[in-house]
Amino acid sequence: MSSPGYRLVAAARELTLSDRFFRRFRRVGLRGVLADLNCTGAHADVPGEAAIAGMTWQDDDRDTERWYPQGITTSADAYGADPSGGMFEGHDVVIASWYAHGWRGWLQLGSRISVIDWSDNDPPRYRHVLLTAPKRFGFFHRLRPVRVHAGGIVWYGDHLFVAGSSSGVRVFRLDDIVRVRNRLRTKGYRYVLPQYSFYAAEHDDDGDRMTYSFMSLDRAGDEDHLVAGEYGRKGGSHRLIRYAIDRDTQLLRSDDRGWAVATELHDRQIARMQGAVVFEGTWAITSSNGEGNAGDLWVGTPGSYTRHAGVLPTGPEDITYLPQRRWLWSLTEWPGRRWVYAIDADRWRPASHDPS
């Protein structure tokens, strides 16, 4: 572990949403979306030795070359490891993020999330919500799409953190989801989630810019942490980084300047990392090997991983942990081969890391 000279700097307060904006739109929050789900997926046998349960999207989402799934988080991230908890108002909720390739006509589509009501017995139902960045022009507000890769997301309390690559981290509040009447203004989406704020990525002069490619949550220990990392091919830096979270504000722990300073940095990790999560002191990392090739699962600690080659389906992305079931959750991105799936965490944990 090297000494981190990296920080995420909170945006100025005037960049957050105004009360006037919400008077112009109907704020319904997450419960409003769950009451109005309009897509149905299907339980699926997911290829790969590590996958034990999963789903696929309905046909248009499974096959589209416009949108690509990337990040994943669950209501267990939001509400913790209590055996009777980890749910949102009685629902096991999974949230996945997508980014859009290219343009539709003259419109750049940006990024979105899918709110999934997961059930072991019934087909999972879901709805897409467009991520937007409201801009004010005098007395008017425009809803511009958030154009980030959204390679990782973390749901913590009411807040949703979205990885913004080299720019930093975007922050949304799920209570701020609004229902719009005129869907022409929102690229056809009935529900949109306006950006609340963001953290700009900064570093000391002697460091290299950090890319926030993916993210997860670590609730172990006395303090919760946002875990992030960067994708890169061979020869890249492949860093993993951690930031403390303030449990009271549900935001990153910051000093008087608004600086959230990294508490831990690990350089030169695994090439082609797509996601990383810490569960009970053990790290689990997904890595990809190109379209059509099975992905790898790496388990251990920084500098001491065991590689389980080819046990994941092709195109693995972000990863998170569901402590109530002791499952890892991940997802894949390639058209026609898109799954959201669970992994038995204990099966792949090295014996030396077994908490029993």
Side-chain angles (χ1 to χ4, degrees), residues 149-167:
H149 197 72
I153 54 176
V154 169
W155 180 4
Y156 189 83
D158 182 45
H159 291 82
L160 184 71
F161 297 88
V162 177
S165 301
S166 60
S167 65

Side-chain angles (χ1 to χ4, degrees), residues 280-327:
E280 300 173 5
T282 300
W283 291 70
I285 295 172
T286 62
S287 67
S288 59
N289 296 302
E291 185 173 4
N293 299 314
D296 298 338
L297 178 66
W298 304 71
V299 184
T301 55
S304 180
Y305 297 109
T306 298
R307 179 189 181 190
H308 303 284
V311 301
L312 301 180
T314 183
E317 290 293 327
D318 201 20
I319 189 170
T320 190
Y321 179 53
L322 183 67
Q324 286 81 2
R325 300 194 183 195
R326 305 190 66 78
W327 282 0

